[in-house]
C-alpha cells in the first residue's frame, strides 16, 4: 500500500473542493445519511385491515382531556394521546380540582401516549441537540414522573407535522416511530355552530382502512365521540390503538418480505 504523507493526503482530497476533514461534516455525512434511510414517516397503517386509529394531540385542558378519555373508555374504546410535555408538567405541579394524576388515570383507562415534544415548538430551526435535550428527553422524563414508572411511548409526532433532518437524527437515539396522520378531522378549524356536521362529513370521507386520524383535545372533539364511533361502525371500521396499528404494519412488512 502506498504511503502518503499527511500533506499529500490532504492535497489530494482537497482537490475535490470538499472539506471532508471537518469532524462535524464527516459525522453528519455518515450518520445523517444512514439515519434518514432507517427512519420513515408513518402516515397510515395497513390498508388490507379495516382498522383506524383515533389520535388526540396536545392535552392543553385537563377537563377536556379527561372528558374525552372517559367518554371513549365508557364506550369500550381506547385511543392514543399526544400530550405536550408542559401540559403533563402542569398537571403534576398544579392540577385543577378533580384532575390529579390525570395521566395515570388515562393510562388505567387503557389509553396510550406518544411524544409531542416538551414545549410544543415549531421545530424547523431546532438542532438535534436541542430536540433531544430540550424537547424529547424532558417529555419522556415528565411522563415517567406522572405515571410513576418507565413508560415506552408509542410514537413521536412533531407539532404541526414538521419533519427535519435534525429530527431524524434525534429520533435515531430513541425507540420511537415517527408518526404523522393520514387526515386531520378538523376539530380546531371547524365553524363553531356547524362543528358536528363538519366533523361528521369529514370523518365519513377520510375514515378508511389504515387511517390514522388526527384530532385534538377540544370541546368539539368531546361532543363528537358518539357520532364518530357511529360513522366508523357504519363504514365497517374498527378503532384500534396506534400501537396495534404499528405492530400490524411491522407484521405486514415481515410477511411481505
Ligand atoms: Zn400539537
Amino acid at each position: 500500500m502506498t504511503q502518503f504523507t499527511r500533506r499529500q493526503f490532504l492535497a489530494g482530497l482537497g482537490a475535490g473542493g470538499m472539506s471532508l476533514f471537518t469532524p462535524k461534516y464527516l459525522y453528519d455525512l455518515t450518520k445523517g445519511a444512514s439515519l434518514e434511510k432507517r427512519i420513515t414517516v408513518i402516515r397510515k397503517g395497513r390498508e388490507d385491515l379495516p382498522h383506524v386509529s383515533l389520535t388526540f394531540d396536545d392535552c392543553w385542558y385537563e377537563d377536556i382531556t379527561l372528558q374525552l378519555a372517559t367518554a371513549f373508555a365508557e364506550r369500550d374504546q381506547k385511543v392514543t394521546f399526544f400530550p405536550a410535555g408542559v401540559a403533563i408538567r402542569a398537571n403534576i405541579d398544579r392540577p385543577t380540582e378533580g384532575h390529579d394524576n390525570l395521566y395515570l388515570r388515562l393510562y388505567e383507562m387503557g389509553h396510550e401516549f406518544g411524544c409531542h415534544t416538551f414545549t410544543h415548538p415549531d421545530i424547523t430551526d431546532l438542532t438535534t441537540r436541542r430536540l433531544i435535550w430540550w424537547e424529547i428527553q424532558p417529555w419522556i422524563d415528565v411522563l415517567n414522573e406522572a405515571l410513576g414508572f418507565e413508560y415506552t411511548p408509542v410514537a413521536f409526532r412533531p407539532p404541526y407535522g414538521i419533519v427535519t433532518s435534525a429530527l431524524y437524527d434525534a429520533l435515531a437515539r430513541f425507540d420511537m416511530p415517527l408518526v404523522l396522520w393520514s387526515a386531520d378531522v378538523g376539530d380546531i378549524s371547524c365553524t363553531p355552530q356547524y362543528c358536528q356536521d363538519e366533523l361528521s362529513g369529514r370523518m365519513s370521507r377520510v375514515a378508511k382502512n389504515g387511517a390514522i386520524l388526527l384530532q385534538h383535545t377540544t370541546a368539539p372533539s368531546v361532543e363528537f365521540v358518539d357520532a364518530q364511533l357511529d360513522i366508523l361502525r357504519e363504514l365497517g371500521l374498527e378503532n384500534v390503538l396506534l400501537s396495534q396499528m404499528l405492530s400490524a404494519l411491522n407484521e405486514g412488512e415481515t410477511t411481505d418480505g
Side-chain angles (χ1 to χ4, degrees):
M1 186 184 165
T2 317
Q3 295 292 312
F4 287 102
T5 63
R6 180 170 161 79
R7 183 184 289 270
Q8 284 169 320
F9 182 66
L10 289 174
L13 281 173
M18 286 169 71
S19 55
L20 283 171
F21 304 106
T22 318
K24 186 178 183 308
Y25 186 85
L26 273 178
Y27 169 80
D28 286 345
L29 191 71
T30 52
K31 288 236 162 172
S34 59
L35 295 176
E36 291 203 26
K37 245 184 247 169
R38 198 147 48 99
I39 297 175
T40 50
V41 179
I42 297 168
R43 290 189 170 83
K44 61 184 181 197
R46 277 172 58 172
E47 290 174 320
D48 59 331
L49 297 175
H51 294 163
V52 303
S53 198
L54 302 175
T55 68
F56 297 86
D57 284 11
D58 300 343
C59 302
W60 296 130
Y61 305 102
E62 292 167 340
D63 53 345
I64 287 175
T65 304
L66 184 60
Q67 283 171 34
L68 195 57
T70 308
F72 279 113
E74 283 173 355
R75 290 155 183 80
D76 220 10
Q77 300 287 317
K78 294 164 186 172
V79 298
T80 305
F81 289 98
F82 283 89
V86 286
I88 306 172
R89 180 80 260 160
N91 183 256
I92 295 172
D93 291 346
R94 43 178 194 288
T96 51
E97 209 183 323
H99 296 83
D100 306 66
N101 303 317
L102 175 65
Y103 291 89
L104 188 58
R105 287 157 78 179
L106 303 191
Y107 173 81
E108 284 169 351
M109 288 178 197
H111 304 306
E112 66 182 14
F113 308 105
C115 179
H116 196 44
T117 71
F118 193 76
T119 69
H120 202 276
D122 173 336
I123 67 161
T124 306
D125 297 320
L126 297 195
T127 60
T128 299
R129 185 179 290 262
R130 177 119 186 165
L131 284 164
I132 294 171
W133 296 111
W134 291 62
E135 297 298 341
I136 302 176
Q137 190 60 52
W139 184 95
I140 292 171
D141 293 343
V142 79
L143 183 65
N144 287 344
E145 185 184 337
L147 297 178
F149 60 90
E150 215 162 285
Y151 181 83
T152 306
V154 56
F156 177 88
R157 174 179 282 167
Y160 320 109
I162 295 168
V163 174
T164 64
S165 56
L167 177 64
Y168 283 121
D169 224 352
L171 286 180
R173 289 153 173 81
F174 297 92
D175 189 20
M176 280 187 279
L178 173 54
V179 176
L180 298 185
W181 51 88
S182 58
D184 180 346
V185 180
D187 58 296
I188 283 190
S189 52
C190 58
T191 326
Q193 63 270 42
Y194 304 114
C195 261
Q196 295 307 306
D197 290 345
E198 289 178 12
L199 293 181
S200 294
R202 185 144 172 81
M203 179 67 100
S204 309
R205 289 193 297 278
V206 297
K208 54 179 133 182
N209 284 10
I212 297 174
L213 300 174
L214 168 68
Q215 291 177 66
H216 301 77
T217 46
T218 60
S221 70
V222 174
E223 277 179 56
F224 189 47
V225 169
D226 272 323
Q228 67 186 287
L229 293 176
D230 286 346
I231 292 169
L232 295 184
R233 209 171 299 119
E234 281 161 23
L235 293 170
L237 295 165
E238 185 193 343
N239 164 49
V240 300
L241 280 170
L242 184 60
S243 58
Q244 284 172 257
M245 190 167 265
L246 296 177
S247 4
L249 203 54
N250 284 336
E251 283 161 23
E253 272 169 18
T254 315
T255 321
D256 297 343

